[in-house]
Amino acid sequence: MKNIGVLGSGRVATVLANKIASAGHTVTIGTRDPARAAAKWSGAHVAFRDHAETARRAAIVVNATPGDTSVERLGALREELRGKIVIDVSNATLRGEDGLPGSLLYPGSSVAERLQGALPETAVVKTLNTMLFTVMADPTSLRVPPTAFLSGNDENAKAVVVGLLGDLGWPADWIEDLGDVATARGPEAVALLVPSVLRRRGLAPFALALAR
């Protein structure tokens, strides 16, 4: 059992926090309005704190904040995140006219790389950003096995994240380690496909799968 913080209180954070807590971990959700978030919560037992206190209490922190503001938000928590693992599940895109993801915010780079640069004493691991949020905690819901891609510089941190993905329902052979944090550019570019998928299919569960 680990102390895990989830930064964010939207759909992604809610799904992940509920599943992680149900797996037996101690979970704290970091949000700007803890009291309001707690009043709306109906899932497994979790605590609610502000972002700084959540990062301070946790050994592993899941970044489920909007990718276009993640570097600024987590960069402000450099001391709280020192020596810890940050699991980045975000995508950073500019918004299109219809509110759906548009072009990449960091072409030639990635949110994960920017986070690692802002948090040099933190192990940043990128994963779970190539699917609809529901699939993150329920990968067997799809007819075709999806792939959870993994990018990060710290091999020990990635091993820890693989274990946590197992608690989320991901078999080990559905996880593809791409290499260092720079390899997050490929999975993050999948966000460019998302608007077309959502316009045609709505919020039906989907994910990228690597056929082997």
Side-chain angles (χ1 to χ4, degrees), residues 2 7 10 20-21 28 33-34 45 65 71 88 99 107 117 166 174 180 183 204:
K2 298 178 177 67
L7 299 182
I20 294 169
T28 303
D33 192 342
H45 176 71
T65 66
V71 176
D88 177 35
W174 292 8
D180 66 20
T183 65

Side-chain angles (χ1 to χ4, degrees), residues 87-88 124-130 147-155 157-163 165 174-181 183-184 187:
I87 303 174
D88 177 35
V124 176
V125 179
K126 186 78 181 192
T127 193
L128 296 181
N129 67 303
T130 56
T147 302
F149 297 97
L150 208 67
S151 300
N153 296 338
D154 190 310
E155 296 300 321
K158 286 194 285 187
V160 171
V161 174
V162 168
L165 289 176
W174 292 8
I175 301 170
E176 187 75 18
D177 187 343
L178 299 177
D180 66 20
V181 73
T183 65

Side-chain angles (χ1 to χ4, degrees), residues 3-197:
N3 289 319
I4 298 175
V6 179
L7 299 182
S9 55
R11 294 178 296 188
V12 173
T14 298
V15 164
L16 291 176
N18 190 52
K19 186 65 175 282
I20 294 169
S22 296
H25 298 287
T26 300
V27 175
T28 303
I29 294 178
T31 176
R32 286 177 291 187
D33 192 342
R36 181 181 179 185
K40 296 167 60 177
W41 182 258
S42 60
H45 176 71
V46 300
F48 292 86
R49 300 287 187 274
D50 62 25
H51 285 180
E53 182 61 21
T54 297
R56 191 176 298 115
R57 292 159 62 104
I60 301 171
V61 173
V62 178
N63 174 38
T65 66
D68 57 352
T69 61
S70 289
V71 176
E72 178 182 0
R73 290 172 189 252
L74 273 70
L77 303 174
R78 180 169 173 170
E79 291 304 314
E80 290 85 353
L81 294 171
R82 186 189 303 272
K84 300 179 179 182
I85 297 172
V86 165
I87 303 174
D88 177 35
V89 304
S90 71
N91 287 311
T93 60
L94 301 173
R95 292 290 174 183
E97 293 182 0
D98 56 3
L100 292 176
S103 59
L104 297 176
L105 182 61
Y106 302 122
S109 185
S110 63
V111 185
E113 289 173 88
R114 297 294 182 103
L115 285 173
Q116 189 62 83
L119 304 167
E121 296 177 272
T122 301
V124 176
V125 179
K126 186 78 181 192
T127 193
L128 296 181
N129 67 303
T130 56
M131 61 201 70
L132 191 71
F133 65 95
T134 58
V135 181
M136 294 178 176
D138 191 14
T140 59
S141 62
L142 300 181
R143 288 177 293 178
V144 175
T147 302
F149 297 97
L150 208 67
S151 300
N153 296 338
D154 190 310
E155 296 300 321
N156 291 329
K158 286 194 285 187
V160 171
V161 174
V162 168
L164 187 58
L165 289 176
D167 291 338
L168 289 171
W170 288 88
D173 61 351
W174 292 8
I175 301 170
E176 187 75 18
D177 187 343
L178 299 177
D180 66 20
V181 73
T183 65
R185 298 178 190 183
E188 287 193 23
V190 173
L192 298 177
L193 293 172
V194 171
S196 298
V197 174

